[in-house]
């Protein structure tokens, strides 16, 4: 029994030694192969590549990696040292000669602009054609076509957000961020009115009315530029004082009786400074900017009521048009500021909101602001908070 146990122990020792020898031989062969491959690459590069050509092989040190500590380069002999120096000088010369070429080479790590893709049914719904269910029915019935005339019947078909589509042969273009409207006198800035007064309900095309909302309000007795927005975040940034978006108005103000001084009574410098410092109102003190003054004085005939049985007479008042800018749109703000500064407003017309100008837009007309225009790009920067 003892001799059998000794034999088993001897066999176990032999197996362990054989395993260790096989592992050692495998590691040695792997190391020899690595050294041989690197030597072959170096030799091939030295023999066949031009001195200043770009190597097509991966080099650890050029890619930010250090060679293994177990692999060392020998430079004990004088020939090896000179060879190393000559190789180093060739390498530096090549790097110097190729520096200009590398500078001209375009960067390959530039971020590519991503094209936003949408499902066809979502794209149509976003453009106000109808609900997702309604547009799905239109698509499956073959009522939707691309610009090249191809009919698409798959609601899940993906298209870029800028694609031009046709529904029942009617072009459905991408919707803008903003729409400008020249509001007439007497129109209320609501999308409906229970009292039946003129409002914005029928102003926009039905496709736009589903998605757009007014940016703030204009009083019924104020005319001019009113914006509609498709994005709530954009609307918030246009309205909030932190956005510092200036609104420009033409305010027609009274100067008093002509016999009391008329235009000569108006002190432009004083009013400019008063508005700059801020005018106190019931809601607090708010500043404004006097952007300009009209030179033309309009005349208004005012009938004087009879007093103490005497016959009534007539007196003439001067009217002056002021260009005023404010960055906060509280209720009747411009009217209150000018009235408290001593210049009652008898007419108010908004001509600019930020970068959007009324221009020659006729009363009661609307215009879509092209997203590719300077104003459209400004609106997009506002929406993204990059203003």
């Amino acid at each position: 029994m003892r001799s059998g146990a000794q034999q088993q122990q001897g066999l176990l020792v032999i197996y362990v030694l054989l395993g260790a020898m096989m592992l050692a031989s495998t590691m040695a062969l792997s190391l020899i192969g690595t050294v041989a491959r690197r030597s072959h690459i170096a030799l091939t590069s030295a023999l066949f590549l031009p001195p200043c050509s770009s190597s097509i092989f991966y080099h650890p040190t050029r890619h930010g990696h250090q060679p293994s500590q177990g692999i060392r380069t020998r430079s004990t002999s004088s020939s090896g040292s000179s060879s190393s120096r000559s190789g180093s000088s060739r390498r530096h010369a090549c790097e110097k000669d190729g520096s200009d070429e590398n500078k001209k080479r375009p960067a390959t790590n530039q971020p590519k602009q991503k094209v936003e893709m949408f499902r066809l049914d979502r794209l149509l719904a976003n453009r106000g054609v109808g609900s997702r269910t309604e547009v799905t029915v239109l698509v499956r019935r073959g009522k939707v076509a691309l610009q090249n005339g191809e009919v698409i019947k798959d609601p899940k078909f993906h298209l870029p957000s800028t694609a031009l589509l046709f529904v029942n042969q009617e072009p459905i273009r991408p919707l803008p961020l903003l729409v400008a409207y020249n509001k007439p006198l007497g129109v209320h800035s609501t999308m409906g009115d229970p009292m039946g007064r003129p409002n914005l309900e029928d102003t926009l095309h039905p496709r736009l009315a589903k998605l757009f909302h007014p940016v703030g309000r204009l009083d019924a007795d104020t005319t001019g530029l009113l914006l509609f927005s498709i994005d709530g975040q954009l609307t918030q940034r246009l309205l909030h004082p932190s956005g510092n978006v200036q609104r420009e108005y033409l305010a027609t103000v009274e100067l008093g009786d002509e016999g009391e001084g008329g235009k000569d009574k108006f002190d432009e410098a004083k009013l400019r400074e008063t508005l700059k410092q801020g005018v106190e109102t019931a809601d607090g003190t708010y500043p404004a900017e006097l952007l300009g003054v009209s030179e033309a004085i309009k005349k208004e005939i005012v009938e004087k009521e009879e007093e103490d049985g005497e016959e009534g007479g007539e007196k003439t008042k001067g009217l002056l048009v002021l260009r005023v800018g404010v960055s906060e749109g509280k209720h009747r703000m411009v009217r209150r500021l000018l009235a408290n500064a001593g210049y009652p407003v008898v007419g108010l017309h908004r001509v600019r909101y930020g970068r959007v100008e009324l221009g020659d837009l006729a009363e009661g007309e609307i215009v879509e602001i092209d997203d590719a225009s300077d104003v459209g790009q400004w609106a997009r920067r506002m929406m993204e908070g990059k203003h």
Side-chain angles (χ1 to χ4, degrees), residues 118-171:
F118 289 94
R119 284 173 44 140
L120 179 57
D121 54 357
R122 181 183 174 188
L123 201 60
L124 291 172
N126 289 348
R127 297 184 184 182
V129 176
S131 65
R132 293 284 284 269
T133 303
E134 292 170 344
V135 299
T136 298
V137 173
L138 289 174
V139 172
R140 289 177 176 171
R141 289 181 178 177
K143 303 295 184 180
V144 181
L146 303 180
Q147 188 173 3
N148 60 4
E150 180 184 358
V151 176
I152 304 297
K153 294 186 177 182
D154 182 10
K156 299 180 181 180
F157 188 80
H158 280 71
L159 291 167
S161 58
T162 57
L164 175 60
L165 302 172
F166 290 83
V167 177
N168 291 325
Q169 300 181 351
E170 180 184 353

Side-chain angles (χ1 to χ4, degrees), residues 179-191 197-201 203 214-228 249 332 335 348-351 358 361-367:
V179 172
Y181 171 57
N182 189 349
K183 189 186 85 64
L185 185 67
V187 176
H188 293 260
S189 299
T190 58
M191 297 303 290
R197 296 173 298 182
N199 57 80
L200 305 175
E201 185 177 11
T203 298
V215 180
R217 295 187 177 188
L218 284 180
D219 302 326
D221 51 355
T222 301
T223 61
L225 179 63
L226 179 65
L227 297 180
F228 290 87
Y249 295 83
R332 302 180 74 85
R335 294 178 184 272
L348 195 60
H349 183 70
R350 185 157 69 186
V351 295
L358 184 63
L361 185 63
E363 184 180 279
E365 290 189 355
I366 65 171
V367 62

Side-chain angles (χ1 to χ4, degrees), residues 83 204 344 349 385:
S83 175
L204 298 177
H349 183 70

Side-chain angles (χ1 to χ4, degrees), residues 17-329:
L17 291 175
L18 288 175
M21 293 174 62
M22 292 178 64
L23 180 60
S25 62
T26 302
M27 294 177 62
L29 290 175
S30 176
L31 181 61
I32 293 172
T34 301
V35 174
R37 282 195 300 272
R38 295 194 178 186
S39 301
H40 175 70
I41 290 173
L43 180 61
T44 304
S45 301
L47 292 177
F48 298 105
L49 291 180
C52 292
S53 63
S54 299
S55 176
I56 61 173
F57 299 106
Y58 173 83
H59 197 288
T61 57
R62 294 181 188 174
H63 291 75
H65 302 289
Q66 297 298 327
S68 173
Q69 296 180 355
I71 302 175
R72 301 179 182 178
T73 55
R74 293 181 297 174
S75 57
T76 54
S77 63
S78 60
S79 60
S81 176
S82 62
S83 175
S84 176
R85 286 194 298 270
S86 62
S88 176
S89 62
R90 283 198 305 271
R91 182 175 67 254
H92 291 308
C94 291
E95 291 176 356
K96 182 178 180 181
D97 294 340
S99 60
D100 295 336
E101 182 181 356
N102 292 333
K103 290 180 180 179
K104 297 178 182 178
R105 190 175 301 163
T108 57
N109 58 351
Q110 293 291 337
K112 294 183 179 179
Q113 187 175 3
K114 294 183 179 180
V115 178
E116 200 171 7
M117 304 291 286
F118 289 94
R119 284 173 44 140
L120 179 57
D121 54 357
R122 181 183 174 188
L123 201 60
L124 291 172
N126 289 348
R127 297 184 184 182
V129 176
S131 65
R132 293 284 284 269
T133 303
E134 292 170 344
V135 299
T136 298
V137 173
L138 289 174
V139 172
R140 289 177 176 171
R141 289 181 178 177
K143 303 295 184 180
V144 181
L146 303 180
Q147 188 173 3
N148 60 4
E150 180 184 358
V151 176
I152 304 297
K153 294 186 177 182
D154 182 10
K156 299 180 181 180
F157 188 80
H158 280 71
L159 291 167
S161 58
T162 57
L164 175 60
L165 302 172
F166 290 83
V167 177
N168 291 325
Q169 300 181 351
E170 180 184 353
I172 306 296
R173 294 180 174 84
L175 295 179
L177 291 174
L178 292 175
V179 172
Y181 171 57
N182 189 349
K183 189 186 85 64
L185 185 67
V187 176
H188 293 260
S189 299
T190 58
M191 297 303 290
D193 189 86
M195 301 175 62
R197 296 173 298 182
N199 57 80
L200 305 175
E201 185 177 11
D202 299 326
T203 298
L204 298 177
H205 187 280
R207 186 168 69 92
L208 301 179
K210 296 178 181 179
L211 301 172
F212 282 79
H213 54 267
V215 180
R217 295 187 177 188
L218 284 180
D219 302 326
D221 51 355
T222 301
T223 61
L225 179 63
L226 179 65
L227 297 180
F228 290 87
S229 169
I230 197 174
D231 185 84
Q233 187 66 45
L234 173 60
T235 303
Q236 173 67 14
R237 287 178 173 148
L238 289 174
L239 291 174
H240 200 274
S242 62
N244 197 29
V245 180
Q246 189 181 71
R247 297 86 150 159
E248 181 180 343
Y249 295 83
L250 297 180
T252 304
V253 300
E254 290 184 358
L255 291 179
D257 295 343
E258 192 174 81
E260 298 176 0
K263 184 182 178 181
D264 296 334
K265 184 181 178 182
F266 174 69
D267 190 339
E268 179 179 347
K270 181 179 179 181
L271 177 60
R272 190 184 304 275
E273 183 63 22
T274 299
L275 295 178
K276 181 179 179 181
Q277 295 299 325
V279 179
E280 186 176 354
T281 68
D283 295 331
T285 302
Y286 297 95
E289 183 180 1
L290 183 61
L291 301 173
V293 180
S294 171
E295 293 295 334
I297 297 294
K298 298 181 180 180
K299 306 296 182 180
E300 183 180 76
I301 304 301
V302 180
E303 293 186 358
K304 185 178 180 181
E305 295 181 356
E306 296 182 3
E307 296 180 3
D308 300 330
E310 298 180 0
E311 293 184 0
E314 293 182 349
K315 61 181 179 179
T316 303
K317 287 189 175 182
L319 300 179
L320 189 61
V321 179
L322 308 177
R323 289 178 51 236
V324 180
V326 295
S327 298
E328 189 165 353

